[in-house]
Amino acid sequence: MAMDMRGIKEQLGRIKPYYLKNEIVRALGCAVLGLKGTVQLGVSPSTELRGLIREGVQLLMRDETIKTRLKAPLVYQPGQERQILSQLASVYKELVEEAGREDWDAAFARKQKLDQSLNLGLRLLAQGHASEADAAFSEAVTCCKDEFRLYGIIGKALVEAGEARRAAPYIKKGQEVLPQDAELAALQAAVIRAKAGDAV
């Protein structure tokens, strides 16, 4: 499935934050996903996209790990998106294999499935189909690798829909991976209050 313009901008916009946090592989992965989406559009990128690509490539070229794997330094020029994608994808694949992480195609497919299942669950919940929503949320959780905020999103949606009992397992799982998260703690308190109310 081709990425839309919003998705492309999001990926390219994440390069800098990840780079500044020294998460080079993630920054590179976002560059590859953004460039892949740009190439799949099949049209000349907008001025905004060109600016994001240029900034991202310049940042990545500062990293010695990436530079040492390229035959020559990359300098972005409009129209070279496919060539730059090819070179950066090759470096990304090497780094991913070294790190034992999923490759970018698998990551993209997994995240797409996670988003689709989460959105389906939220829609079903809004329509009053709590059981079907719970099934969709469970599917989203099976796609979760390090998107731990997912548990809070699901927990909050279920609590607000009056489904505290269904929310409890998601909140508990979220607290296992994010023990200091204030929102999850507040949701857990809401679940306890709801269960106490049921018992009265």
PDB file of all heavy atoms in Angstrom, residues 80-120:
ATOM      1  N   GLN A  80      16.667  13.107  -7.789  1.00  0.00           N
ATOM      2  CA  GLN A  80      17.558  12.000  -7.420  1.00  0.00           C
ATOM      3  C   GLN A  80      16.969  11.138  -6.298  1.00  0.00           C
ATOM      4  O   GLN A  80      17.693  10.363  -5.680  1.00  0.00           O
ATOM      5  CB  GLN A  80      18.909  12.549  -6.949  1.00  0.00           C
ATOM      6  CG  GLN A  80      19.708  13.252  -8.025  1.00  0.00           C
ATOM      7  CD  GLN A  80      21.043  13.738  -7.482  1.00  0.00           C
ATOM      8  OE1 GLN A  80      21.204  13.970  -6.284  1.00  0.00           O
ATOM      9  NE2 GLN A  80      22.010  13.883  -8.362  1.00  0.00           N
ATOM     10  N   GLU A  81      15.674  11.281  -6.061  1.00  0.00           N
ATOM     11  CA  GLU A  81      15.061  10.584  -4.930  1.00  0.00           C
ATOM     12  C   GLU A  81      15.259   9.069  -5.009  1.00  0.00           C
ATOM     13  O   GLU A  81      15.590   8.414  -4.024  1.00  0.00           O
ATOM     14  CB  GLU A  81      13.562  10.910  -4.838  1.00  0.00           C
ATOM     15  CG  GLU A  81      13.255  12.357  -4.514  1.00  0.00           C
ATOM     16  CD  GLU A  81      13.307  13.265  -5.724  1.00  0.00           C
ATOM     17  OE1 GLU A  81      13.315  12.764  -6.876  1.00  0.00           O
ATOM     18  OE2 GLU A  81      13.358  14.500  -5.521  1.00  0.00           O
ATOM     19  N   ARG A  82      15.078   8.508  -6.204  1.00  0.00           N
ATOM     20  CA  ARG A  82      15.192   7.061  -6.356  1.00  0.00           C
ATOM     21  C   ARG A  82      16.621   6.576  -6.082  1.00  0.00           C
ATOM     22  O   ARG A  82      16.825   5.567  -5.406  1.00  0.00           O
ATOM     23  CB  ARG A  82      14.743   6.640  -7.763  1.00  0.00           C
ATOM     24  CG  ARG A  82      14.585   5.122  -7.935  1.00  0.00           C
ATOM     25  CD  ARG A  82      14.106   4.783  -9.336  1.00  0.00           C
ATOM     26  NE  ARG A  82      12.767   5.294  -9.608  1.00  0.00           N
ATOM     27  CZ  ARG A  82      11.650   4.667  -9.264  1.00  0.00           C
ATOM     28  NH1 ARG A  82      11.700   3.499  -8.651  1.00  0.00           N
ATOM     29  NH2 ARG A  82      10.464   5.199  -9.553  1.00  0.00           N
ATOM     30  N   GLN A  83      17.615   7.318  -6.611  1.00  0.00           N
ATOM     31  CA  GLN A  83      19.016   6.920  -6.405  1.00  0.00           C
ATOM     32  C   GLN A  83      19.399   7.014  -4.923  1.00  0.00           C
ATOM     33  O   GLN A  83      20.059   6.119  -4.380  1.00  0.00           O
ATOM     34  CB  GLN A  83      19.963   7.819  -7.225  1.00  0.00           C
ATOM     35  CG  GLN A  83      19.782   7.688  -8.731  1.00  0.00           C
ATOM     36  CD  GLN A  83      18.793   8.732  -9.280  1.00  0.00           C
ATOM     37  OE1 GLN A  83      17.705   8.921  -8.745  1.00  0.00           O
ATOM     38  NE2 GLN A  83      19.192   9.398 -10.372  1.00  0.00           N
ATOM     39  N   ILE A  84      18.961   8.086  -4.265  1.00  0.00           N
ATOM     40  CA  ILE A  84      19.287   8.250  -2.846  1.00  0.00           C
ATOM     41  C   ILE A  84      18.573   7.181  -2.014  1.00  0.00           C
ATOM     42  O   ILE A  84      19.142   6.606  -1.088  1.00  0.00           O
ATOM     43  CB  ILE A  84      18.943   9.678  -2.369  1.00  0.00           C
ATOM     44  CG1 ILE A  84      19.968  10.641  -2.975  1.00  0.00           C
ATOM     45  CG2 ILE A  84      18.955   9.778  -0.847  1.00  0.00           C
ATOM     46  CD1 ILE A  84      19.811  12.076  -2.577  1.00  0.00           C
ATOM     47  N   LEU A  85      17.318   6.893  -2.371  1.00  0.00           N
ATOM     48  CA  LEU A  85      16.580   5.821  -1.692  1.00  0.00           C
ATOM     49  C   LEU A  85      17.352   4.513  -1.794  1.00  0.00           C
ATOM     50  O   LEU A  85      17.533   3.808  -0.801  1.00  0.00           O
ATOM     51  CB  LEU A  85      15.191   5.659  -2.308  1.00  0.00           C
ATOM     52  CG  LEU A  85      14.401   4.405  -1.894  1.00  0.00           C
ATOM     53  CD1 LEU A  85      14.140   4.379  -0.394  1.00  0.00           C
ATOM     54  CD2 LEU A  85      13.085   4.315  -2.663  1.00  0.00           C
ATOM     55  N   SER A  86      17.815   4.185  -2.993  1.00  0.00           N
ATOM     56  CA  SER A  86      18.538   2.928  -3.202  1.00  0.00           C
ATOM     57  C   SER A  86      19.771   2.840  -2.309  1.00  0.00           C
ATOM     58  O   SER A  86      20.013   1.816  -1.665  1.00  0.00           O
ATOM     59  CB  SER A  86      18.932   2.820  -4.681  1.00  0.00           C
ATOM     60  OG  SER A  86      19.729   1.678  -4.878  1.00  0.00           O
ATOM     61  N   GLN A  87      20.537   3.923  -2.242  1.00  0.00           N
ATOM     62  CA  GLN A  87      21.772   3.900  -1.456  1.00  0.00           C
ATOM     63  C   GLN A  87      21.497   3.860   0.048  1.00  0.00           C
ATOM     64  O   GLN A  87      22.130   3.092   0.784  1.00  0.00           O
ATOM     65  CB  GLN A  87      22.632   5.114  -1.807  1.00  0.00           C
ATOM     66  CG  GLN A  87      23.164   5.048  -3.243  1.00  0.00           C
ATOM     67  CD  GLN A  87      24.018   6.254  -3.584  1.00  0.00           C
ATOM     68  OE1 GLN A  87      25.112   6.398  -3.057  1.00  0.00           O
ATOM     69  NE2 GLN A  87      23.509   7.127  -4.441  1.00  0.00           N
ATOM     70  N   LEU A  88      20.547   4.670   0.494  1.00  0.00           N
ATOM     71  CA  LEU A  88      20.228   4.682   1.929  1.00  0.00           C
ATOM     72  C   LEU A  88      19.559   3.375   2.363  1.00  0.00           C
ATOM     73  O   LEU A  88      19.807   2.882   3.465  1.00  0.00           O
ATOM     74  CB  LEU A  88      19.328   5.872   2.274  1.00  0.00           C
ATOM     75  CG  LEU A  88      19.970   7.260   2.201  1.00  0.00           C
ATOM     76  CD1 LEU A  88      18.969   8.329   2.613  1.00  0.00           C
ATOM     77  CD2 LEU A  88      21.223   7.348   3.073  1.00  0.00           C
ATOM     78  N   ALA A  89      18.728   2.809   1.485  1.00  0.00           N
ATOM     79  CA  ALA A  89      18.069   1.534   1.813  1.00  0.00           C
ATOM     80  C   ALA A  89      19.102   0.429   1.987  1.00  0.00           C
ATOM     81  O   ALA A  89      18.973  -0.428   2.866  1.00  0.00           O
ATOM     82  CB  ALA A  89      17.067   1.168   0.729  1.00  0.00           C
ATOM     83  N   SER A  90      20.130   0.460   1.161  1.00  0.00           N
ATOM     84  CA  SER A  90      21.193  -0.535   1.256  1.00  0.00           C
ATOM     85  C   SER A  90      21.921  -0.427   2.593  1.00  0.00           C
ATOM     86  O   SER A  90      22.181  -1.433   3.266  1.00  0.00           O
ATOM     87  CB  SER A  90      22.171  -0.346   0.091  1.00  0.00           C
ATOM     88  OG  SER A  90      23.254  -1.229   0.216  1.00  0.00           O
ATOM     89  N   VAL A  91      22.240   0.810   2.986  1.00  0.00           N
ATOM     90  CA  VAL A  91      22.918   1.030   4.271  1.00  0.00           C
ATOM     91  C   VAL A  91      22.000   0.625   5.425  1.00  0.00           C
ATOM     92  O   VAL A  91      22.429  -0.034   6.379  1.00  0.00           O
ATOM     93  CB  VAL A  91      23.332   2.515   4.424  1.00  0.00           C
ATOM     94  CG1 VAL A  91      23.879   2.777   5.830  1.00  0.00           C
ATOM     95  CG2 VAL A  91      24.378   2.879   3.383  1.00  0.00           C
ATOM     96  N   TYR A  92      20.724   1.001   5.316  1.00  0.00           N
ATOM     97  CA  TYR A  92      19.767   0.664   6.373  1.00  0.00           C
ATOM     98  C   TYR A  92      19.651  -0.844   6.539  1.00  0.00           C
ATOM     99  O   TYR A  92      19.634  -1.362   7.660  1.00  0.00           O
ATOM    100  CB  TYR A  92      18.403   1.270   6.055  1.00  0.00           C
ATOM    101  CG  TYR A  92      17.356   1.014   7.112  1.00  0.00           C
ATOM    102  CD1 TYR A  92      17.495   1.523   8.396  1.00  0.00           C
ATOM    103  CD2 TYR A  92      16.240   0.235   6.833  1.00  0.00           C
ATOM    104  CE1 TYR A  92      16.542   1.281   9.370  1.00  0.00           C
ATOM    105  CE2 TYR A  92      15.284  -0.011   7.807  1.00  0.00           C
ATOM    106  CZ  TYR A  92      15.446   0.519   9.075  1.00  0.00           C
ATOM    107  OH  TYR A  92      14.505   0.273  10.043  1.00  0.00           O
ATOM    108  N   LYS A  93      19.586  -1.546   5.426  1.00  0.00           N
ATOM    109  CA  LYS A  93      19.481  -3.009   5.486  1.00  0.00           C
ATOM    110  C   LYS A  93      20.689  -3.600   6.209  1.00  0.00           C
ATOM    111  O   LYS A  93      20.540  -4.492   7.049  1.00  0.00           O
ATOM    112  CB  LYS A  93      19.372  -3.577   4.069  1.00  0.00           C
ATOM    113  CG  LYS A  93      19.096  -5.064   4.037  1.00  0.00           C
ATOM    114  CD  LYS A  93      18.943  -5.571   2.617  1.00  0.00           C
ATOM    115  CE  LYS A  93      18.719  -7.080   2.623  1.00  0.00           C
ATOM    116  NZ  LYS A  93      18.733  -7.642   1.270  1.00  0.00           N
ATOM    117  N   GLU A  94      21.870  -3.094   5.894  1.00  0.00           N
ATOM    118  CA  GLU A  94      23.089  -3.568   6.573  1.00  0.00           C
ATOM    119  C   GLU A  94      23.004  -3.338   8.077  1.00  0.00           C
ATOM    120  O   GLU A  94      23.289  -4.236   8.870  1.00  0.00           O
ATOM    121  CB  GLU A  94      24.317  -2.809   6.050  1.00  0.00           C
ATOM    122  CG  GLU A  94      24.875  -3.299   4.739  1.00  0.00           C
ATOM    123  CD  GLU A  94      26.115  -2.491   4.357  1.00  0.00           C
ATOM    124  OE1 GLU A  94      26.935  -2.200   5.253  1.00  0.00           O
ATOM    125  OE2 GLU A  94      26.247  -2.131   3.179  1.00  0.00           O
ATOM    126  N   LEU A  95      22.626  -2.122   8.458  1.00  0.00           N
ATOM    127  CA  LEU A  95      22.583  -1.782   9.882  1.00  0.00           C
ATOM    128  C   LEU A  95      21.526  -2.578  10.621  1.00  0.00           C
ATOM    129  O   LEU A  95      21.727  -3.005  11.756  1.00  0.00           O
ATOM    130  CB  LEU A  95      22.316  -0.275  10.048  1.00  0.00           C
ATOM    131  CG  LEU A  95      23.430   0.656   9.562  1.00  0.00           C
ATOM    132  CD1 LEU A  95      23.001   2.113   9.687  1.00  0.00           C
ATOM    133  CD2 LEU A  95      24.713   0.423  10.351  1.00  0.00           C
ATOM    134  N   VAL A  96      20.386  -2.783   9.960  1.00  0.00           N
ATOM    135  CA  VAL A  96      19.305  -3.557  10.578  1.00  0.00           C
ATOM    136  C   VAL A  96      19.740  -5.001  10.792  1.00  0.00           C
ATOM    137  O   VAL A  96      19.504  -5.593  11.848  1.00  0.00           O
ATOM    138  CB  VAL A  96      18.030  -3.498   9.708  1.00  0.00           C
ATOM    139  CG1 VAL A  96      17.051  -4.595  10.093  1.00  0.00           C
ATOM    140  CG2 VAL A  96      17.361  -2.144   9.845  1.00  0.00           C
ATOM    141  N   GLU A  97      20.377  -5.564   9.782  1.00  0.00           N
ATOM    142  CA  GLU A  97      20.835  -6.954   9.911  1.00  0.00           C
ATOM    143  C   GLU A  97      21.869  -7.076  11.024  1.00  0.00           C
ATOM    144  O   GLU A  97      21.857  -8.045  11.785  1.00  0.00           O
ATOM    145  CB  GLU A  97      21.408  -7.429   8.579  1.00  0.00           C
ATOM    146  CG  GLU A  97      20.333  -7.701   7.551  1.00  0.00           C
ATOM    147  CD  GLU A  97      20.865  -7.990   6.160  1.00  0.00           C
ATOM    148  OE1 GLU A  97      22.096  -7.878   5.942  1.00  0.00           O
ATOM    149  OE2 GLU A  97      20.049  -8.330   5.289  1.00  0.00           O
ATOM    150  N   GLU A  98      22.719  -6.079  11.120  1.00  0.00           N
ATOM    151  CA  GLU A  98      23.721  -6.103  12.194  1.00  0.00           C
ATOM    152  C   GLU A  98      23.054  -6.014  13.564  1.00  0.00           C
ATOM    153  O   GLU A  98      23.489  -6.630  14.525  1.00  0.00           O
ATOM    154  CB  GLU A  98      24.697  -4.933  12.031  1.00  0.00           C
ATOM    155  CG  GLU A  98      25.680  -5.126  10.889  1.00  0.00           C
ATOM    156  CD  GLU A  98      26.535  -3.892  10.653  1.00  0.00           C
ATOM    157  OE1 GLU A  98      26.603  -3.033  11.546  1.00  0.00           O
ATOM    158  OE2 GLU A  98      27.133  -3.792   9.567  1.00  0.00           O
ATOM    159  N   ALA A  99      22.009  -5.200  13.641  1.00  0.00           N
ATOM    160  CA  ALA A  99      21.331  -4.990  14.924  1.00  0.00           C
ATOM    161  C   ALA A  99      20.297  -6.074  15.217  1.00  0.00           C
ATOM    162  O   ALA A  99      19.743  -6.138  16.304  1.00  0.00           O
ATOM    163  CB  ALA A  99      20.663  -3.628  14.938  1.00  0.00           C
ATOM    164  N   GLY A 100      20.019  -6.919  14.215  1.00  0.00           N
ATOM    165  CA  GLY A 100      19.029  -7.975  14.401  1.00  0.00           C
ATOM    166  C   GLY A 100      17.607  -7.448  14.493  1.00  0.00           C
ATOM    167  O   GLY A 100      16.748  -8.061  15.100  1.00  0.00           O
ATOM    168  N   ARG A 101      17.353  -6.302  13.851  1.00  0.00           N
ATOM    169  CA  ARG A 101      16.008  -5.738  13.872  1.00  0.00           C
ATOM    170  C   ARG A 101      15.252  -6.106  12.602  1.00  0.00           C
ATOM    171  O   ARG A 101      15.841  -6.554  11.629  1.00  0.00           O
ATOM    172  CB  ARG A 101      16.081  -4.212  13.993  1.00  0.00           C
ATOM    173  CG  ARG A 101      16.720  -3.747  15.288  1.00  0.00           C
ATOM    174  CD  ARG A 101      16.713  -2.254  15.361  1.00  0.00           C
ATOM    175  NE  ARG A 101      17.501  -1.798  16.505  1.00  0.00           N
ATOM    176  CZ  ARG A 101      17.805  -0.542  16.732  1.00  0.00           C
ATOM    177  NH1 ARG A 101      17.413   0.399  15.901  1.00  0.00           N
ATOM    178  NH2 ARG A 101      18.513  -0.203  17.782  1.00  0.00           N
ATOM    179  N   GLU A 102      13.954  -5.842  12.640  1.00  0.00           N
ATOM    180  CA  GLU A 102      13.134  -6.098  11.461  1.00  0.00           C
ATOM    181  C   GLU A 102      13.531  -5.146  10.342  1.00  0.00           C
ATOM    182  O   GLU A 102      13.974  -4.039  10.586  1.00  0.00           O
ATOM    183  CB  GLU A 102      11.657  -5.904  11.809  1.00  0.00           C
ATOM    184  CG  GLU A 102      11.331  -4.498  12.273  1.00  0.00           C
ATOM    185  CD  GLU A 102       9.956  -4.390  12.898  1.00  0.00           C
ATOM    186  OE1 GLU A 102       9.088  -5.213  12.613  1.00  0.00           O
ATOM    187  OE2 GLU A 102       9.770  -3.445  13.675  1.00  0.00           O
ATOM    188  N   ASP A 103      13.396  -5.582   9.094  1.00  0.00           N
ATOM    189  CA  ASP A 103      13.719  -4.674   7.993  1.00  0.00           C
ATOM    190  C   ASP A 103      12.573  -3.683   7.800  1.00  0.00           C
ATOM    191  O   ASP A 103      11.495  -3.827   8.362  1.00  0.00           O
ATOM    192  CB  ASP A 103      14.057  -5.436   6.707  1.00  0.00           C
ATOM    193  CG  ASP A 103      12.862  -6.181   6.134  1.00  0.00           C
ATOM    194  OD1 ASP A 103      11.763  -5.601   6.079  1.00  0.00           O
ATOM    195  OD2 ASP A 103      13.031  -7.350   5.726  1.00  0.00           O
ATOM    196  N   TRP A 104      12.836  -2.649   7.014  1.00  0.00           N
ATOM    197  CA  TRP A 104      11.861  -1.552   6.941  1.00  0.00           C
ATOM    198  C   TRP A 104      10.552  -1.947   6.277  1.00  0.00           C
ATOM    199  O   TRP A 104       9.503  -1.430   6.616  1.00  0.00           O
ATOM    200  CB  TRP A 104      12.471  -0.311   6.303  1.00  0.00           C
ATOM    201  CG  TRP A 104      13.048  -0.438   4.933  1.00  0.00           C
ATOM    202  CD1 TRP A 104      14.326  -0.777   4.620  1.00  0.00           C
ATOM    203  CD2 TRP A 104      12.393  -0.190   3.688  1.00  0.00           C
ATOM    204  NE1 TRP A 104      14.507  -0.765   3.265  1.00  0.00           N
ATOM    205  CE2 TRP A 104      13.343  -0.406   2.668  1.00  0.00           C
ATOM    206  CE3 TRP A 104      11.103   0.199   3.333  1.00  0.00           C
ATOM    207  CZ2 TRP A 104      13.047  -0.253   1.317  1.00  0.00           C
ATOM    208  CZ3 TRP A 104      10.804   0.362   1.990  1.00  0.00           C
ATOM    209  CH2 TRP A 104      11.772   0.130   1.009  1.00  0.00           C
ATOM    210  N   ASP A 105      10.573  -2.884   5.338  1.00  0.00           N
ATOM    211  CA  ASP A 105       9.315  -3.340   4.738  1.00  0.00           C
ATOM    212  C   ASP A 105       8.449  -4.032   5.788  1.00  0.00           C
ATOM    213  O   ASP A 105       7.243  -3.789   5.886  1.00  0.00           O
ATOM    214  CB  ASP A 105       9.582  -4.319   3.585  1.00  0.00           C
ATOM    215  CG  ASP A 105       9.711  -3.608   2.245  1.00  0.00           C
ATOM    216  OD1 ASP A 105       9.159  -2.496   2.108  1.00  0.00           O
ATOM    217  OD2 ASP A 105      10.367  -4.156   1.354  1.00  0.00           O
ATOM    218  N   ALA A 106       9.089  -4.890   6.592  1.00  0.00           N
ATOM    219  CA  ALA A 106       8.352  -5.604   7.638  1.00  0.00           C
ATOM    220  C   ALA A 106       7.847  -4.627   8.688  1.00  0.00           C
ATOM    221  O   ALA A 106       6.715  -4.740   9.165  1.00  0.00           O
ATOM    222  CB  ALA A 106       9.257  -6.656   8.286  1.00  0.00           C
ATOM    223  N   ALA A 107       8.682  -3.639   9.051  1.00  0.00           N
ATOM    224  CA  ALA A 107       8.278  -2.645  10.048  1.00  0.00           C
ATOM    225  C   ALA A 107       7.079  -1.851   9.548  1.00  0.00           C
ATOM    226  O   ALA A 107       6.120  -1.604  10.283  1.00  0.00           O
ATOM    227  CB  ALA A 107       9.443  -1.708  10.360  1.00  0.00           C
ATOM    228  N   PHE A 108       7.132  -1.446   8.283  1.00  0.00           N
ATOM    229  CA  PHE A 108       6.050  -0.652   7.714  1.00  0.00           C
ATOM    230  C   PHE A 108       4.754  -1.457   7.694  1.00  0.00           C
ATOM    231  O   PHE A 108       3.694  -0.968   8.093  1.00  0.00           O
ATOM    232  CB  PHE A 108       6.433  -0.194   6.305  1.00  0.00           C
ATOM    233  CG  PHE A 108       5.422   0.707   5.664  1.00  0.00           C
ATOM    234  CD1 PHE A 108       5.028   1.881   6.283  1.00  0.00           C
ATOM    235  CD2 PHE A 108       4.864   0.389   4.437  1.00  0.00           C
ATOM    236  CE1 PHE A 108       4.091   2.724   5.697  1.00  0.00           C
ATOM    237  CE2 PHE A 108       3.936   1.225   3.841  1.00  0.00           C
ATOM    238  CZ  PHE A 108       3.549   2.396   4.470  1.00  0.00           C
ATOM    239  N   ALA A 109       4.840  -2.717   7.257  1.00  0.00           N
ATOM    240  CA  ALA A 109       3.647  -3.572   7.185  1.00  0.00           C
ATOM    241  C   ALA A 109       3.057  -3.795   8.580  1.00  0.00           C
ATOM    242  O   ALA A 109       1.837  -3.744   8.771  1.00  0.00           O
ATOM    243  CB  ALA A 109       4.003  -4.907   6.532  1.00  0.00           C
ATOM    244  N   ARG A 110       3.939  -4.031   9.551  1.00  0.00           N
ATOM    245  CA  ARG A 110       3.476  -4.268  10.925  1.00  0.00           C
ATOM    246  C   ARG A 110       2.789  -3.027  11.484  1.00  0.00           C
ATOM    247  O   ARG A 110       1.710  -3.105  12.080  1.00  0.00           O
ATOM    248  CB  ARG A 110       4.667  -4.653  11.804  1.00  0.00           C
ATOM    249  CG  ARG A 110       4.315  -4.903  13.260  1.00  0.00           C
ATOM    250  CD  ARG A 110       5.542  -5.257  14.080  1.00  0.00           C
ATOM    251  NE  ARG A 110       6.534  -4.205  14.094  1.00  0.00           N
ATOM    252  CZ  ARG A 110       6.429  -3.079  14.815  1.00  0.00           C
ATOM    253  NH1 ARG A 110       5.375  -2.862  15.568  1.00  0.00           N
ATOM    254  NH2 ARG A 110       7.388  -2.175  14.778  1.00  0.00           N
ATOM    255  N   LYS A 111       3.388  -1.866  11.269  1.00  0.00           N
ATOM    256  CA  LYS A 111       2.804  -0.628  11.803  1.00  0.00           C
ATOM    257  C   LYS A 111       1.485  -0.287  11.109  1.00  0.00           C
ATOM    258  O   LYS A 111       0.568   0.230  11.740  1.00  0.00           O
ATOM    259  CB  LYS A 111       3.805   0.524  11.677  1.00  0.00           C
ATOM    260  CG  LYS A 111       4.949   0.390  12.676  1.00  0.00           C
ATOM    261  CD  LYS A 111       5.987   1.474  12.513  1.00  0.00           C
ATOM    262  CE  LYS A 111       7.222   1.142  13.323  1.00  0.00           C
ATOM    263  NZ  LYS A 111       7.543   2.070  14.357  1.00  0.00           N
ATOM    264  N   GLN A 112       1.409  -0.593   9.818  1.00  0.00           N
ATOM    265  CA  GLN A 112       0.151  -0.378   9.090  1.00  0.00           C
ATOM    266  C   GLN A 112      -0.961  -1.236   9.698  1.00  0.00           C
ATOM    267  O   GLN A 112      -2.075  -0.766   9.911  1.00  0.00           O
ATOM    268  CB  GLN A 112       0.327  -0.772   7.614  1.00  0.00           C
ATOM    269  CG  GLN A 112       1.155   0.203   6.823  1.00  0.00           C
ATOM    270  CD  GLN A 112       0.308   1.315   6.243  1.00  0.00           C
ATOM    271  OE1 GLN A 112       0.046   2.320   6.897  1.00  0.00           O
ATOM    272  NE2 GLN A 112      -0.133   1.151   5.026  1.00  0.00           N
ATOM    273  N   LYS A 113      -0.631  -2.507   9.955  1.00  0.00           N
ATOM    274  CA  LYS A 113      -1.625  -3.430  10.516  1.00  0.00           C
ATOM    275  C   LYS A 113      -2.042  -2.971  11.913  1.00  0.00           C
ATOM    276  O   LYS A 113      -3.225  -3.016  12.270  1.00  0.00           O
ATOM    277  CB  LYS A 113      -1.043  -4.847  10.567  1.00  0.00           C
ATOM    278  CG  LYS A 113      -2.058  -5.903  10.983  1.00  0.00           C
ATOM    279  CD  LYS A 113      -1.445  -7.291  10.929  1.00  0.00           C
ATOM    280  CE  LYS A 113      -2.461  -8.332  11.378  1.00  0.00           C
ATOM    281  NZ  LYS A 113      -1.856  -9.675  11.484  1.00  0.00           N
ATOM    282  N   LEU A 114      -1.059  -2.512  12.704  1.00  0.00           N
ATOM    283  CA  LEU A 114      -1.356  -2.014  14.052  1.00  0.00           C
ATOM    284  C   LEU A 114      -2.328  -0.838  13.968  1.00  0.00           C
ATOM    285  O   LEU A 114      -3.349  -0.815  14.661  1.00  0.00           O
ATOM    286  CB  LEU A 114      -0.054  -1.593  14.748  1.00  0.00           C
ATOM    287  CG  LEU A 114      -0.144  -1.158  16.214  1.00  0.00           C
ATOM    288  CD1 LEU A 114       1.197  -1.376  16.904  1.00  0.00           C
ATOM    289  CD2 LEU A 114      -0.562   0.290  16.377  1.00  0.00           C
ATOM    290  N   ASP A 115      -2.016   0.133  13.116  1.00  0.00           N
ATOM    291  CA  ASP A 115      -2.869   1.322  12.981  1.00  0.00           C
ATOM    292  C   ASP A 115      -4.268   0.961  12.514  1.00  0.00           C
ATOM    293  O   ASP A 115      -5.266   1.492  13.012  1.00  0.00           O
ATOM    294  CB  ASP A 115      -2.246   2.320  11.990  1.00  0.00           C
ATOM    295  CG  ASP A 115      -1.030   3.023  12.570  1.00  0.00           C
ATOM    296  OD1 ASP A 115      -0.847   2.980  13.799  1.00  0.00           O
ATOM    297  OD2 ASP A 115      -0.254   3.593  11.787  1.00  0.00           O
ATOM    298  N   GLN A 116      -4.346   0.053  11.534  1.00  0.00           N
ATOM    299  CA  GLN A 116      -5.654  -0.344  11.001  1.00  0.00           C
ATOM    300  C   GLN A 116      -6.498  -1.034  12.072  1.00  0.00           C
ATOM    301  O   GLN A 116      -7.698  -0.753  12.205  1.00  0.00           O
ATOM    302  CB  GLN A 116      -5.472  -1.252   9.782  1.00  0.00           C
ATOM    303  CG  GLN A 116      -4.973  -0.508   8.554  1.00  0.00           C
ATOM    304  CD  GLN A 116      -4.471  -1.438   7.459  1.00  0.00           C
ATOM    305  OE1 GLN A 116      -4.469  -2.656   7.602  1.00  0.00           O
ATOM    306  NE2 GLN A 116      -4.030  -0.845   6.352  1.00  0.00           N
ATOM    307  N   SER A 117      -5.885  -1.920  12.841  1.00  0.00           N
ATOM    308  CA  SER A 117      -6.622  -2.638  13.892  1.00  0.00           C
ATOM    309  C   SER A 117      -7.063  -1.680  14.996  1.00  0.00           C
ATOM    310  O   SER A 117      -8.192  -1.760  15.493  1.00  0.00           O
ATOM    311  CB  SER A 117      -5.747  -3.747  14.491  1.00  0.00           C
ATOM    312  OG  SER A 117      -5.398  -4.691  13.504  1.00  0.00           O
ATOM    313  N   LEU A 118      -6.171  -0.757  15.381  1.00  0.00           N
ATOM    314  CA  LEU A 118      -6.517   0.222  16.410  1.00  0.00           C
ATOM    315  C   LEU A 118      -7.676   1.100  15.948  1.00  0.00           C
ATOM    316  O   LEU A 118      -8.653   1.296  16.683  1.00  0.00           O
ATOM    317  CB  LEU A 118      -5.297   1.084  16.741  1.00  0.00           C
ATOM    318  CG  LEU A 118      -5.552   2.254  17.712  1.00  0.00           C
ATOM    319  CD1 LEU A 118      -6.016   1.741  19.068  1.00  0.00           C
ATOM    320  CD2 LEU A 118      -4.311   3.120  17.855  1.00  0.00           C
ATOM    321  N   ASN A 119      -7.594   1.619  14.733  1.00  0.00           N
ATOM    322  CA  ASN A 119      -8.643   2.493  14.218  1.00  0.00           C
ATOM    323  C   ASN A 119      -9.973   1.763  14.075  1.00  0.00           C
ATOM    324  O   ASN A 119     -11.034   2.326  14.351  1.00  0.00           O
ATOM    325  CB  ASN A 119      -8.221   3.104  12.880  1.00  0.00           C
ATOM    326  CG  ASN A 119      -7.099   4.124  13.048  1.00  0.00           C
ATOM    327  OD1 ASN A 119      -6.975   4.743  14.103  1.00  0.00           O
ATOM    328  ND2 ASN A 119      -6.279   4.293  12.029  1.00  0.00           N
ATOM    329  N   LEU A 120      -9.899   0.498  13.653  1.00  0.00           N
ATOM    330  CA  LEU A 120     -11.126  -0.304  13.552  1.00  0.00           C
ATOM    331  C   LEU A 120     -11.745  -0.458  14.940  1.00  0.00           C
ATOM    332  O   LEU A 120     -12.961  -0.297  15.113  1.00  0.00           O
ATOM    333  CB  LEU A 120     -10.815  -1.678  12.951  1.00  0.00           C
ATOM    334  CG  LEU A 120     -11.975  -2.674  12.925  1.00  0.00           C
ATOM    335  CD1 LEU A 120     -13.133  -2.150  12.075  1.00  0.00           C
ATOM    336  CD2 LEU A 120     -11.508  -4.040  12.404  1.00  0.00           C
TER     337      LEU A 120
END
